[in-house]
Amino acid sequence: MSDLVDTFLNWDHITAVLPDLLRTGLVNTLILAGSSAVLGTVLGLGLALLGLSHRRWLRWPARVYTDIFRGLPAIVTILLVGQGLAVVARPVIGTNPYPLGILALSLIAAAYIGEIFRAGIQSVDKGQSEAARALGMTHVATMAKVVVPQGVRRVLPALVNQFIALVKDSSLVYFLGLLASQRDLFRIGQDVAANTGNLSPLVAAGLVYLLITVPLTHLVNFVDRRLRDGQPVRGGDTLAEFEPARA
Amino acid sequence: MPSSSLLVRDLHVSFGPVEVLRGVDLEVPRGTTTCVIGPSGSGKSTLLRAINQLEPPSRGEVLLDGSGVADVNVLRRRIGMVFQHFNLFAHRTVLDNLVLPLRSVLRLSQEEARDRASRYLDRVGLADKAPFRPSALSGGQRQRVAIARALAMEPEVVLFDEATSALDPELVKGVLGLMAELSSAGMTMVVVTHEMGFAREVADQVCFLDHGLVVESGPPAAVFGSPTAPRLRKFLDQVL
């Protein structure tokens, strides 16, 4: 039993790896996940809008893209993009695997986020866009100012879930080969675990992941509750005061 | 108040193989109110939606002050519309519901837009609701905000699509009162309604629509008092 505790929770190993985890691993994981979250959200919104287009030649590529990047294992996409484009991209980005790693993670995230946005935008009542169009607003203005803001608000919880997935998937970038300073949480934990023959450093890495993901999970619940409370179905009908006759 | 005549000529609308409007002619002189009545499915709402191109007509034309408007966004800017379900922008405050189209379509400055929005909210008696979300308002208040939003664009014609049908009975009177007020102020209006009392009292002209055609039209006294078409007589028997 004490062997088991020592394997997973050796305090000396944990405290030894912690500075590296926080100073290097946490920073790199947040860079990877944060950049791909931003890029994936932008690409995803574009995909959603294309996927909702009335023009088949715009809609169709978006659907195919989504099917492919949602259907492939993340690691396959990361290796194909990260290694496949490395030769082409080397003159621009050198040998740093981060730009292509972030690109691969973003491409994957965009497929999921695009579907989330598409569902949100589709759930907005048709009357909203009709009212905007009837006032003379252009299609673009209607989407940008009326439909998309409401659709996005509705899917914020699902979006945060996707960010959580990104934090976890960012660990796969280690397959592209990382320098010591480029290592993320997983890689640092894994390296030290391999060197010491003890799993405690990996457990420490896992704890730092939880430090990011658990608050995000609660953020989802909080956002969800806020949105629910903020948009009651029958609104403030309870506040309705008697309508004075104006005739 | 800006106001124009509206002329609808030979308007056809089809949903797939079904022809919902089969050649509607309608003349609404400047500053007058026309009420469109008829059984459900007769094409009343489709007529309004076709006038401002929410349902693109397959044939026919819509003339404002005698001339056609090529740009659909300009046409819609010049024709206001009030919907059965209000369709207020749920994510914006009451004031912003008016400000948004004033900024986006008329390109008013923030200050001008807010000024004008407040003025029109005041006109429908809801200036105090400016900072609230639409969800905090009663149905009647929401519809008055929707009317203010349409009026703030200073349209030349306003279309009302069963504006009181979704309201609780006790809230109907306030909205109809506001519409009557606009009518007597000289707004050109086309009102699709089931409120026969309103049509009788406020309309200058009543049009009875059935199966996508204007079957009978005339002053309310004639349409309600001495209807000639058998279908209109049957309809009036059912609703009055």
Side-chain angles (χ1 to χ4, degrees):
Chain A
M1 183 64 194
S2 71
D3 277 358
L4 212 55
V5 171
D6 186 63
T7 304
F8 291 108
L9 294 171
N10 182 305
W11 189 246
D12 292 337
H13 286 314
I14 290 178
T15 47
V17 77
L18 214 49
D20 253 1
L21 278 178
L22 295 178
R23 272 201 302 260
T24 310
L26 179 61
V27 172
N28 285 334
T29 292
L30 287 177
I31 289 174
L32 285 168
S35 321
S36 351
V38 172
L39 190 55
T41 302
V42 173
L43 291 175
L45 188 56
L47 268 180
L49 293 173
L50 289 179
L52 288 167
S53 170
H54 293 295
R55 299 193 182 87
R56 191 177 309 167
W57 54 273
L58 286 176
R59 199 173 58 227
W60 195 74
R63 297 276 161 89
V64 171
Y65 175 97
T66 304
D67 281 347
I68 292 175
F69 283 90
R70 235 177 12 162
L72 289 176
I75 187 62
V76 173
T77 305
I78 288 170
L79 284 176
L80 288 179
V81 171
Q83 298 179 342
L85 297 184
V87 182
V88 191
R90 184 158 303 156
V92 187
I93 58 170
T95 53
N96 185 346
Y98 268 47
L100 289 177
I102 288 168
L103 177 64
L105 287 171
S106 307
L107 292 175
I108 299 164
Y112 289 96
I113 292 173
E115 286 300 280
I116 292 170
F117 279 150
R118 191 161 70 90
I121 292 169
Q122 270 176 325
S123 76
V124 176
D125 178 40
K126 204 161 175 284
Q128 295 285 311
S129 56
E130 283 192 346
R133 297 313 301 273
L135 286 158
M137 289 171 67
T138 62
H139 175 66
V140 172
T142 299
M143 289 306 278
K145 289 174 182 151
V146 175
V147 179
V148 171
Q150 294 188 58
V152 167
R153 210 166 294 203
R154 225 166 276 188
V155 296
L156 279 181
L159 203 59
V160 179
N161 275 333
Q162 205 51 52
F163 294 159
I164 291 172
L166 260 177
V167 171
K168 298 186 285 184
D169 284 352
S170 66
S171 59
L172 295 171
V173 169
Y174 101 91
F175 276 97
L176 298 179
L178 302 172
L179 299 178
S181 64
Q182 294 168 338
R183 292 180 303 169
D184 71 322
L185 285 172
F186 163 73
R187 190 58 207 262
I188 289 174
Q190 164 67 10
D191 281 354
V192 180
N195 289 340
T196 56
N198 183 293
L199 286 177
S200 303
L202 203 50
V203 170
L207 290 174
V208 183
Y209 275 112
L210 292 178
L211 209 64
I212 311 173
T213 53
V214 170
L216 276 177
T217 314
H218 288 277
L219 180 68
V220 173
N221 298 337
F222 174 74
V223 168
D224 202 25
R225 237 187 351 261
R226 271 293 294 272
L227 289 177
R228 254 174 247 265
D229 295 347
Q231 300 176 328
V233 182
R234 291 263 302 159
D237 272 4
T238 45
L239 300 175
E241 53 199 59
F242 177 69
E243 292 281 291
R246 298 179 57 87
Chain B
M1 167 156 21
S3 195
S4 292
S5 66
L6 173 74
L7 189 63
V8 174
R9 235 187 248 154
D10 193 33
L11 210 59
H12 289 253
V13 171
S14 297
F15 296 145
V18 186
E19 200 168 37
V20 184
L21 292 187
R22 302 186 293 151
V24 172
D25 294 288
L26 185 69
E27 189 178 351
V28 185
R30 177 201 304 264
T32 67
T33 295
T34 293
C35 283
V36 180
I37 61 171
S40 56
S42 59
K44 305 183 298 287
S45 289
T46 307
L47 171 60
L48 292 194
R49 294 167 59 83
I51 288 174
N52 74 358
Q53 301 270 329
L54 282 181
E55 305 292 351
S58 52
R59 216 163 85 201
E61 53 185 355
V62 173
L63 305 179
L64 276 180
D65 254 349
S67 41
V69 183
D71 183 335
V72 62
N73 288 328
V74 173
L75 179 78
R76 288 171 177 159
R77 193 185 74 208
R78 294 174 60 185
I79 300 180
M81 181 139 178
V82 176
F83 296 87
Q84 179 178 359
H85 295 287
F86 333 129
N87 297 350
L88 293 180
F89 304 136
H91 64 309
R92 299 284 188 130
T93 64
V94 164
L95 186 74
D96 279 346
N97 261 272
L98 278 70
V99 168
L100 174 60
L102 290 173
R103 301 268 292 141
S104 171
V105 180
L106 299 186
R107 303 274 166 210
L108 298 191
S109 71
Q110 182 70 32
E111 199 181 336
E112 286 171 312
R114 292 179 74 94
D115 274 1
R116 197 195 277 197
S118 309
R119 217 162 60 232
Y120 279 91
L121 275 183
D122 194 34
R123 178 155 173 201
V124 300
L126 291 173
D128 58 325
K129 299 293 182 192
F132 290 90
R133 286 289 158 93
S135 59
L137 272 56
S138 73
Q141 292 170 335
R142 285 182 217 184
Q143 193 58 296
R144 274 151 57 194
V145 171
I147 293 172
R149 181 174 68 177
L151 293 180
M153 302 296 287
E154 304 189 338
E156 296 155 48
V157 176
V158 182
L159 314 174
F160 292 84
D161 188 6
E162 300 194 17
T164 57
S165 297
L167 297 179
D168 292 338
E170 76 272 20
L171 305 180
V172 168
K173 211 173 159 190
V175 171
L176 288 182
L178 175 59
M179 289 163 64
E181 210 178 281
L182 291 172
S183 173
S184 54
M187 191 84 209
T188 308
M189 302 178 14
V190 183
V191 181
V192 165
T193 186
H194 293 293
E195 299 286 339
M196 295 304 146
F198 177 86
R200 199 194 294 258
E201 282 166 35
V202 177
D204 299 286
Q205 172 183 232
V206 176
C207 279
F208 173 65
L209 207 65
D210 195 23
H211 293 298
L213 286 172
V214 176
V215 175
E216 189 164 341
S217 66
V223 170
F224 290 112
S226 50
T228 54
R231 274 188 285 173
L232 173 56
R233 281 210 290 268
K234 188 167 156 243
F235 173 73
L236 291 176
D237 274 348
Q238 283 165 347
V239 297
L240 292 180

